Structure formats: C-alpha cells, structure tokens
C-alpha cells in the first residue's frame, strides 16, 4: 500500500492532537492511540481519515493489537514513505510571532 500512515500515541488536548492534525494536513492517514475511547473518538471526528484505537502503551499486547488494527484499517505505518519535514511546534509558533512583528 502506498498510502502514508502515521501512528500518534498519547492523544489529548496538547501536543498529541497537534501532531495528529499536522500529519493529517500533510496527507497522512492518522491512527490516534490512547486509553480513553470517548476522547479518541471525539478527536477522530475532527480529523478526516483518522482512526481511533484504544491502546495502553505500557502493555506490549495492547500495542501489538493496536498495530494489527492500524495495519488492517489504514495500512502499515512502518512501510510509509518518510515525512518530508519535521514538525516543531515551538519553531512554528516562533515563526508565526516573528511574522506578526512580535
């Protein structure tokens, strides 16, 4: 499969969802991993082409099951083409402030 797939863990109102949105805007299909189904599904509704997957990253079986689900639904994230640019939220915010003359 040639589709770009990204897995983001720790989805919440901070960096996790910011990364997910950014990858989605870059054309990736995004798997949102976290422990709270309701929260994941709420964020998945906001991001087109995303998949909410309940997963506890401290449990290797949970991680294996989550990756199996991601592969079945979106494709293999390990075979995706490399991302062309690193996302650095601090740098991006600094650049926005600089452009605004602050």
């Amino acid at each position: 499969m040639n589709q770009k797939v990204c897995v983001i863990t720790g989805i919440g109102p901070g960096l996790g969802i910011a990364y997910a949105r950014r990858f989605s805007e870059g054309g990736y299909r995004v798997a949102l991993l976290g422990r709270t189904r309701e929260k994941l599904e709420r964020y998945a509704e906001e991001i087109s082409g995303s998949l909410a997957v309940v997963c506890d990253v401290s449990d290797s079986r949970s991680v294996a099951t989550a990756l199996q689900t991601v592969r079945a639904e979106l494709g293999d994230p390990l075979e995706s083409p490399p991302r062309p640019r690193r996302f650095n939220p601090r740098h991006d915010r600094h650049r926005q402030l600089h452009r605004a003359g602050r």
Side-chain angles (χ1 to χ4, degrees):
M1 181 177 269
N2 232 0
Q3 182 76 40
K4 300 181 290 184
V5 178
C6 176
V7 175
I8 306 286
T9 62
I11 294 300
L15 285 177
I17 196 63
Y19 282 120
R21 287 181 179 129
R22 198 60 184 256
F23 273 98
S24 178
E25 291 168 1
Y28 283 76
R29 297 185 72 193
V30 181
L32 310 173
L33 274 61
R35 293 181 293 179
T36 310
R37 178 174 304 282
E38 295 78 23
K39 180 173 59 173
L40 293 171
E41 289 174 350
R42 186 173 61 243
Y43 286 125
E45 289 176 6
E46 297 176 20
I47 300 174
S48 176
S50 67
L51 174 69
V53 182
V54 176
C55 177
D56 180 353
V57 296
S58 68
D59 178 0
S60 61
R61 289 184 199 170
S62 180
V63 172
T65 300
L67 287 177
Q68 186 177 22
T69 301
V70 171
R71 286 184 182 111
E73 297 291 325
L74 301 179
D76 193 342
L78 301 177
E79 294 180 4
S80 294
R83 188 162 180 253
R85 176 186 169 287
R86 287 185 61 199
F87 170 54
N88 183 334
R90 289 185 182 159
H91 175 75
D92 288 354
R93 180 68 179 142
H94 174 75
R95 191 171 51 201
Q96 289 171 353
L97 292 173
H98 180 72
R99 287 182 183 161
R102 298 181 191 163

